[in-house]
Amino acid sequence: MDPAVVGSAQFGQLWTTKLPGNYRNNLEQIYSQPLVYTLDDGIQYVFIATTQNNVYKINAKTGNIVASRNMHIPFLTSDVVPCTDINPLIGVTATGVIDPTTDTWYLTAKTYEDQTDQVKGLANGRYFFHAIDVNTLAEKPGFPKPMEGMLARNNPNRNFNGGIQHQRPALLLTGQYVYAGFASHCVQYNFTGWVVGWDKTTGSVVERFTTEAGPEPVKTPGGGIWMSGGGLASDNKGSMYFSTGNGYASQLHGTPVPGRQPPTALEEAAVNMKINDDGSLTVADFFMPWEKEQLDGADKDLGTTPLELLPPSTFSCPNAKRLGVITGKSGKTYFLNLDNLGGYQMGVNKLDAIPQAPIQNENSVYAGAGVYPLEGGYVYINVIQYQTHVFKFSCDGSGNPAFTKVADSPEKAAYVLGVGHGTTTSLNGQAGTGLYWMTDVDGYNLRIYNAVPQNGVLQLIKTANIPGVTKFSKPVFGDGRAYVGTVQGLLYAFGSPVNLPLTCTSPNDFGKISINSTSAVKTIQCQANTYTQVKAITLKNTANFQISSLPSLPVDVPAGKNISFNAVFAPTAPGPLSVDVAVNTSSGDTKFSPNTPVSLKGIGTSANPLLAVSPNTVSFNGVIVDQNDGGATESIIFSNVGDGVLTVQGLDYSVISETGAYVQPNKTAAGVQVGPFTFSNIPSTIAGNSEAIVKINFNPVATGNFAVYVHVRSDGGTKIFDVFGTASSQPNALLEFEAADGSGRWIPYTRNNPPFTFGNVYEQTTKSLRMRLTNNGSASAGSLSVTVSKPPFGVPGIVGAQNGADLGEGTNLAAGESATAVLFCSVPKSQVNVDTYNGTATWVMNTGDPNFGKQQIQFFCNAVAEQVGPLAANGSAIYRYNGCYKENNPGRQLAVQLYGNDPAMTNEKCINACSAKGYSIAASEYTNECWCGKRFPREMADEIDCNYQCTGNSTQTCGGNGYFHDHSHMSLFSNGKGLPPLPDVPPSILPSIGAYNYTGCFSEGVGGRALGAAQTASDDMTVAYCASYCSKYQYFGIEYANEPHPEPLRLLQARRLLLLRPAPQQPLDLLLLFKPRLDLSIRAVTPKEPAAALLVIPRLHTLE
């Protein structure tokens, strides 16, 4: 990537491609990084795998999707709640790898055993290892390979469970084998870290290594390998490197152990594995921070970043020829000797035995370091909520590596978790062309800097907004373009027109020139590649270079013709210097860029010694008194940028200002001491073009703010640098929840407290309350960091967090400072008179307070529905909602209709009316009808089948016509005394009962009852009941299923005939018998057309 092009106005967004996947109406999410690869057809492609388990092949130049396919249905995040770090789907979340010798793309995918999209759940989660032909996206023969149930080679008591495990680190291809690392979902369940290896050709498993190898019980979790998506690393010389997270075996427990004697529980560790010829792995070396158990307690994983291997061509010293870098949640950056990682507590006073004391950053770090191997070597650390820190590499006088902070970025990383891994580029490896790239989830989502800082600052040259950029991501590159994935279904491409209208001699290297001298003239030739008008030729900075002999501008240059101009190098400062000449053109063809950059570079030299000090300020922020034995150590570089030997004549120290007054320091065996600061390794001379590393230790015994101003005198000039330190006491975490009663009280959290409660929340309402975290330490307390935060954001249920940002991981609170997050209980619409039910959610949290520990904070909500009708003493309704029942099954299911077509119908109205008439059951239907009875209907339906709003209250449901609109239904309430439904058996005629014989079915009277001597009605009506009631009469009859009528028989002409309903306990035959002389017709009558049919039974001895 050419910085002149990237920094120009022509560099920007080229295209976006929307990925079409929409499983369950969700957008595609790209957590595995894009892979850029050129096939034999000469076309470069971008390969994408998503959380929906879709794979895509995209033309890298146009953004067109060339091919795609789905491998499996994705795994649902809801099956691993409260872990919603990747939400709502988990499919492919680790970056795959392409084997250029076989055009094979290797990756893993999380799914379910059942591919019908029916059976879900944690226990059914599965992982598969895929080998995909990048030409066609087809699976290679014999793939994919399942992983479920594998037993660990080094601990057969551990088996692989695809639901529990999570594959986040990028895969590693080395030789014949492919490896993948596994951790868990938010340190949940009985997980362990795994490294699984496969033969790349056959897919056979060659390694099943667990980081928890016993002898601890298999329920001891830990040692996950996730590294924020960073990759397993190899030196291509037989070693693999990775880092691990928290663990709870803690086998070493304060006992120093050399790196060559690794424990079987590799927790909070940087690990070197030997890759054996058969693909199996052997632990060769390890490093574990001296405070490992304290890191576990605070959830300060070492393994949030990968262990990165620094190019030994640049980053090498006599005592540590191969180096690596890793930073964790504790904020400490460790530079490790890859050939001797350091073991556990093997240093002085049982501290870390590593080449350089850890560098303490202000906050947690999840992003892998950026590494620039040119111009002496730089390392970049992206810190949550703080600037990116830049460290310059050098070797000290003893042959040990020294990384000194020399600059910061002007911008801070996002407040929320997600700043991406650092990435650097150059133009064909040329010095002076380095760029540092980073993505972030807030602010400018893509930021591009010059890799070499100037005057202590990273210079920002280009930004872009990319909505939904994926956390912990990084740009990937190909043919002058950069690609960035998102969680909103889009892939972005950035670049500029790749065709230059001019071909100019570039770069132009003037070599070494003494400062205040001028080089020989160089003539720069530019030949037109197309018909071009040259409009301007300008230098971006004239401090060290000048141009002359420009052609008269504007000038038209036909294709193949040349223009030229001159340039000289006149350095004003020592060291590598460079600038670009911008040739501004117009060709009339949009395929060509409007600018052609020409690079000028040279090295300024000084025959005399010349002192430089970097950085000019060293800060120790938030050092906790007595937390680290020996305090904290930083370094500063004294450089001689001249050719002659530099003599350091002395250092003057002031605790007041840069101009004095100066104090007399204490000279100790450890160095020169000024207050809590100790300076060591102060050189007396520095050879030409060399440097010396001065160590500064800050070891306070009391809290407070401290400063020392240092004046360095030498025969190569004088320099001043400032040292500041802040010493604090231990922070104290106070967690509270807002009282549900609205009093404004805050309820403190303790482990023995009941869950934080919302109290009663009524249906169709939402109640929001705040949770507050306070640094309750003394006024001198250090900042309180949130090291683990898994809020219930986007989880199923009625309780959740308003967002995933507030009180998120990386939150820092100064002494006395508080931060809040809003939680809610949102109760959905429900029927009246349903039972209350509970909603719960969990927030997993840990902080930098060592006494806080990891907490599973519980939240409780009592969801309450409206209670109507007669109420019990406790306020609950006596008539409880029993459910949605099917109507006309067959015929009306309840006996009595009280309201019909009522514009003011509510369930309360219906219940009150039925209760007043002594019915045990009330039901609403058709939005406006009320029915009563004493016996339940035959069939309960699904709740969604009742879907009508009541005419008198739209928040209530009054029956429905079914989810598929195929049948009428009723919303039914009961006081608990309702009778069971009638058995579903055919009705029958009793030929006789007692002294009575069945005579037939007769029409009811017109203008009066056919049998009118006496009558009664009962929902418990039977033939026997009526016979007993009418025992003193000659005849009795039954109608409407519940009315008997005794009287001498009077047969009247029928108006209409209603089919007789069976009695509730002793059903009567619906096949009615009629005397032929009545000439009656039989037809069904709806309830809205009332009529009667009379079943008449005379005494046996009176029949004539």
Side-chain angles (χ1 to χ4, degrees), residues 227 233 241-243 270 287 302 305-311 315 322-328 332-338 341 359 361 365 367-372 378-381 391 403:
M227 302 186 295
Y241 297 87
F242 59 84
S243 61
F287 164 74
L302 176 67
T305 75
L307 173 55
E308 293 190 53
L309 314 187
L310 305 181
F315 299 92
R322 302 195 310 155
L323 295 168
V325 59
I326 184 173
T327 310
K332 286 186 177 181
T333 296
Y334 300 87
F335 291 98
L336 303 179
N337 183 346
L338 295 178
L341 290 177
I359 296 171
N361 299 292
V365 176
V371 179
Y372 181 58
Y378 292 85
V379 172
Y380 311 80
I381 306 294
F391 297 89
F403 291 84

Side-chain angles (χ1 to χ4, degrees), residues 864-998:
V864 180
E866 183 182 7
Q867 305 293 298
V868 301
L871 301 179
N874 63 1
S876 63
I878 294 173
Y879 280 75
R880 311 303 300 163
Y881 178 62
N882 288 100
C884 183
Y885 281 81
K886 197 172 184 181
E887 178 62 292
N888 300 322
N889 192 32
R892 289 291 187 178
Q893 297 293 288
L894 297 181
V896 178
Q897 181 180 12
L898 297 186
Y899 300 104
N901 199 24
D902 184 347
M905 175 57 62
T906 66
N907 287 303
E908 181 177 13
K909 182 175 183 178
C910 184
I911 292 169
N912 284 332
C914 291
S915 175
K917 291 186 176 296
Y919 291 102
S920 56
I921 294 174
S924 59
E925 59 178 310
Y926 290 117
T927 76
N928 57 21
E929 293 184 3
C930 175
W931 291 78
C932 310
K934 294 188 176 181
R935 188 174 297 278
F936 280 95
R938 292 178 183 274
E939 183 179 346
M940 180 183 284
D942 292 331
E943 197 60 34
I944 58 175
D945 288 323
C946 284
N947 51 11
Y948 284 160
Q949 296 177 355
C950 300
T951 55
N953 188 338
S954 62
T955 67
Q956 295 183 14
T957 301
C958 286
N961 65 346
Y963 182 73
F964 294 105
H965 313 296
D966 57 352
H967 205 93
S968 60
H969 295 78
M970 64 180 76
S971 301
L972 188 137
F973 303 83
S974 166
N975 63 6
K977 299 177 181 179
L979 300 172
L982 292 169
D984 190 14
V985 296
S988 61
I989 292 289
L990 286 177
S992 64
I993 184 165
Y996 295 90
N997 275 340
Y998 172 66

Side-chain angles (χ1 to χ4, degrees), residues 331-333 335 356-362 389-391 402-406 614-615 617-621 623 630-637 677-681 693-699 721-725:
K332 286 186 177 181
T333 296
F335 291 98
Q356 176 178 340
I359 296 171
Q360 182 67 62
N361 299 292
E362 303 92 334
H389 300 318
V390 186
F391 297 89
F403 291 84
T404 302
K405 192 177 87 165
V406 294
S614 179
T617 302
V618 176
S619 297
F620 297 87
N621 296 315
V623 174
T633 300
E634 298 280 1
S635 57
I636 192 167
I637 301 174
F677 301 101
T678 300
F679 300 81
S680 59
N681 298 337
I693 307 300
V694 176
K695 300 290 185 180
I696 307 172
N697 176 261
F698 179 52
N699 191 15
F721 67 92
D722 305 332
V723 184
F724 304 106

Side-chain angles (χ1 to χ4, degrees), residues 347-422:
V348 177
N349 297 322
K350 297 176 66 174
L351 297 178
D352 301 321
I354 57 178
Q356 176 178 340
I359 296 171
Q360 182 67 62
N361 299 292
E362 303 92 334
N363 205 349
S364 299
V365 176
Y366 289 73
V371 179
Y372 181 58
L374 303 176
E375 302 177 68
Y378 292 85
V379 172
Y380 311 80
I381 306 294
N382 297 335
V383 185
I384 295 173
Q385 301 179 3
Y386 289 86
Q387 291 95 340
T388 294
H389 300 318
V390 186
F391 297 89
K392 179 75 168 62
F393 169 74
S394 61
C395 299
D396 67 17
S398 301
N400 296 314
F403 291 84
T404 302
K405 192 177 87 165
V406 294
D408 293 322
S409 64
E411 300 77 21
K412 292 184 177 181
Y415 182 85
V416 296
L417 195 65
V419 61
H421 301 269

Side-chain angles (χ1 to χ4, degrees), residues 50-54 70-77 79-80 89-94 107-113 115 121-130 147-148 160-168 182-185 189:
T50 73
T51 58
Q52 295 189 22
N53 282 331
N54 295 324
N70 175 261
M71 299 180 294
H72 315 276
I73 60 172
F75 188 88
L76 302 181
T77 302
D79 282 335
V80 292
L89 305 171
I90 305 168
V92 180
T93 56
L107 55 85
T108 64
K110 185 159 186 167
T111 180
Y112 292 100
E113 181 178 28
Q115 290 296 299
L122 186 70
N124 295 299
R126 297 291 184 268
Y127 259 104
F128 288 87
F129 174 62
H130 288 263
M147 300 176 61
E148 190 66 15
F160 186 93
N161 184 309
I164 290 175
Q165 303 294 154
H166 185 205
Q167 212 269 295
R168 193 70 175 93
F182 292 81
S184 67
H185 293 281
Y189 316 117

Side-chain angles (χ1 to χ4, degrees), residues 10 141 145 147 171 213 282 318 401 455 479 580 985 1020 1034 1066:
Q10 284 69 49
K145 297 295 186 182
M147 300 176 61
L171 276 67
T282 302
N455 300 318
D479 284 351
D580 285 323
V985 296
D1020 300 324
Q1034 183 178 0
Q1066 193 168 343

Side-chain angles (χ1 to χ4, degrees), residues 1 5 9-15 479-482 493-498:
M1 304 295 289
V5 174
Q10 284 69 49
F11 187 90
Q13 182 179 313
L14 294 175
W15 50 257
D479 284 351
R481 292 179 289 268
F494 296 87
S496 69
V498 295

Side-chain angles (χ1 to χ4, degrees), residues 480-613:
R481 292 179 289 268
Y483 305 92
V484 179
T486 73
V487 295
Q488 295 184 358
L490 295 173
L491 174 68
Y492 285 75
F494 296 87
S496 69
V498 295
N499 299 313
L500 295 175
L502 300 171
T503 299
C504 300
T505 51
S506 181
N508 299 277
D509 191 347
F510 290 87
K512 294 183 177 182
I513 303 294
S514 296
I515 58 175
N516 301 320
S517 300
T518 301
S519 70
V521 173
K522 279 186 176 288
T523 299
I524 289 93
Q525 297 282 346
C526 294
Q527 185 178 80
N529 299 318
T530 185
Y531 189 90
T532 303
Q533 183 184 69
V534 178
K535 298 160 66 175
I537 302 175
T538 57
L539 267 177
K540 290 185 178 180
N541 187 314
T542 60
N544 299 294
F545 297 87
Q546 290 88 43
I547 55 175
S548 61
S549 302
L550 303 180
S552 297
L553 301 174
V555 59
D556 293 333
V557 186
K561 298 300 183 179
N562 294 345
I563 62 168
S564 64
F565 59 91
N566 294 333
V568 295
F569 177 40
T572 59
L577 301 168
S578 63
V579 74
D580 285 323
V581 179
V583 183
N584 181 250
T585 61
S586 175
S587 65
D589 189 340
T590 57
K591 292 186 299 185
F592 289 91
S593 170
N595 285 290
T596 299
V598 179
S599 176
L600 310 178
K601 64 179 183 177
I603 299 175
T605 64
S606 170
N608 299 317
L610 194 60
L611 175 66
V613 174

